[in-house]
Amino acid sequence: MDDTVTVPKKELACPRIVIQVVGGPDVGKTFELDALPIHIGRHEDNDITLRDAQVSSKHLMIVADPNGYRLRDLGSRNGTYIDGFVVTEAILCGRARLRIGATVLSVQFTDVDDSLVEQGKLIGRSPPMIELRAQVERLAASDATVLVTGETGTGKEVIAESIHGASARCERPFVVVDCGAIPGELFEAELFGHERGAFTGAVTSSPGLFERADGGTIFLDEIGELPMALQPKLLRAVQTRTIRRVGGTRMIPCDVRLIAATHRDLRKQVAAGKFRADLYYRLAVACVSAPALRERGDDVALLARHFARDAAGNGALMSALDAALSSLRDHAWPGNVRELRNVVERALCGCGAPEAVTGERSGFTVEVRFDIPFKDAKQAVMDEFDRRFITRLLEETGGNIAEAARAAGLDRVSIYKIMARLGMARRGSAA
């Protein structure tokens, strides 16, 4: 009799996991799984159900973790042991031997299959990326409004585009709205359109972005930057999926799916009175978190080779880059994937090896003058810091002031003022 049980895929696709019962009432049974999380216990609702009376109903679970796979004891009565030590949480890699009650389990993880490395533009073999792709797949099957959160440079727009691309709306438009870049006085007309004569210069009627996205997806990037005064207008459109053009009276239905993104903590913004609670709850029907690159160490070389292939297509360069970046696996990457792309492109155009390019970020030296008054000497140091900071920021954002302002936590006016004070060219290069 074959005692191997194949547990069907349910949530998170992952490398094949084989769990064998090598001691206890169920000895001889083997479970093959390809999805996370995995719940183990005596209750029949678990993925692996054991007959051992010393095992709790919900004994433990195994979930994805940036460093491998995390085992969590769920408050079991008799505890979970690894190599004789009781554990509440532990990272499992490769092979592990567990004891729960009178049962001994052998757990083995196979290598990640290449098919789990890439899904459209979502590239990576780390557990956070495997989990993210599974979330994208689930959300693509629905029409729920999605809020994508994550640090600047983590690829929130790529996640939104991937959800759209895998959905039934994939043949219809994917329209991006940068909520931090549209001037407040133009926001309503930009999103909802306007009728002829609605304002000076409106010589013809024009549809807005909501109408242009009809049947498809509208992506509200950096929704946290939207001024409070404009949020009720957006809320109305989100609630009713209808809009009214500026200067018009007719309500126009718009069949759109909404995906919003932000690098801010909107719950804190709501608590501080800077973001409407009703709009937040309308947007956060389903939430996805974009993992930071520092949580995806296994993906650094993989992504670097992908960027190098796009930029140069030179195999020798890619191999050299891969070798160099292996030493940067644990680099903090404050700019996330965007910073890594910048490092790769600079290296390929001869602006320095990856180590040198990244190393520039780790220190700041500037000459301090002692032949001028203290106030002037201090201002000179601050000016040099501002110049280097803004120059690097604009390099990494391609001269996009709105994006640079978001990354620095400043408003666009402040960026312009700094550049004007220092005599810097408007499009990011020093004057």
Side-chain angles (χ1 to χ4, degrees), residues 63 68 81 97 111 125 131 160 165 251 267 280 340 351 426:
V63 298
Y81 293 79
R97 196 175 182 90
D111 291 335
R125 61 170 67 241
E131 182 170 5
M251 299 303 294
R267 287 173 296 185
Y280 168 73
L340 175 59
C351 297
R426 194 174 179 85

Side-chain angles (χ1 to χ4, degrees), residues 301-350:
L302 193 68
L303 285 164
R305 293 196 334 195
H306 173 77
F307 295 148
R309 186 164 52 246
D310 280 355
N314 186 309
L317 278 173
M318 286 189 286
S319 297
L321 195 63
D322 189 13
L325 281 165
S326 64
S327 64
L328 295 177
R329 183 183 183 280
D330 297 321
H331 177 63
W333 297 109
N336 292 294
V337 177
R338 184 179 295 130
E339 179 186 3
L340 175 59
R341 180 189 284 275
N342 180 266
V343 166
V344 171
E345 291 178 353
R346 290 190 64 181
L348 292 176
C349 71

Side-chain angles (χ1 to χ4, degrees), residues 188-208 211-212 243-253:
E188 192 172 3
E190 186 78 13
L191 257 65
F192 309 137
H194 64 265
E195 299 291 358
R196 179 181 177 183
F199 48 82
T200 303
V203 295
T204 61
S205 296
S206 176
E211 287 182 75
R212 294 172 190 170
I243 58 94
R244 183 173 61 194
R245 292 179 179 178
V246 176
T249 57
R250 182 170 61 96
M251 299 303 294
I252 303 172

Side-chain angles (χ1 to χ4, degrees), residues 229-247:
L230 300 176
Q231 292 177 24
K233 299 174 181 179
L234 177 60
L235 175 63
R236 192 176 305 112
V238 173
Q239 285 178 322
T240 65
R241 295 296 198 274
T242 60
I243 58 94
R244 183 173 61 194
R245 292 179 179 178
V246 176

Side-chain angles (χ1 to χ4, degrees), residues 347-409:
L348 292 176
C349 71
C351 297
E355 298 95 332
V357 175
T358 308
E360 292 173 9
R361 290 160 170 73
S362 62
F364 175 79
T365 59
V366 62
E367 179 183 358
V368 178
R369 296 183 60 183
F370 297 95
D371 59 339
I372 58 177
F374 169 81
K375 182 179 179 180
D376 295 337
K378 180 179 179 181
Q379 187 60 50
V381 172
M382 297 304 296
D383 286 349
E384 182 61 19
F385 170 82
D386 289 350
R387 183 185 302 277
R388 295 193 196 183
F389 187 91
I390 297 299
T391 297
R392 175 56 61 82
L393 194 63
L394 292 173
E395 286 177 358
E396 295 187 353
T397 58
N400 186 315
I401 297 293
E403 191 172 331
R406 287 197 300 271

Side-chain angles (χ1 to χ4, degrees), residues 12-31:
L12 164 58
C14 65
R16 190 170 65 95
I17 301 172
V18 178
I19 298 181
Q20 296 176 302
V21 183
V22 296
D26 295 291
V27 65
K29 284 190 174 181
T30 299
F31 300 87

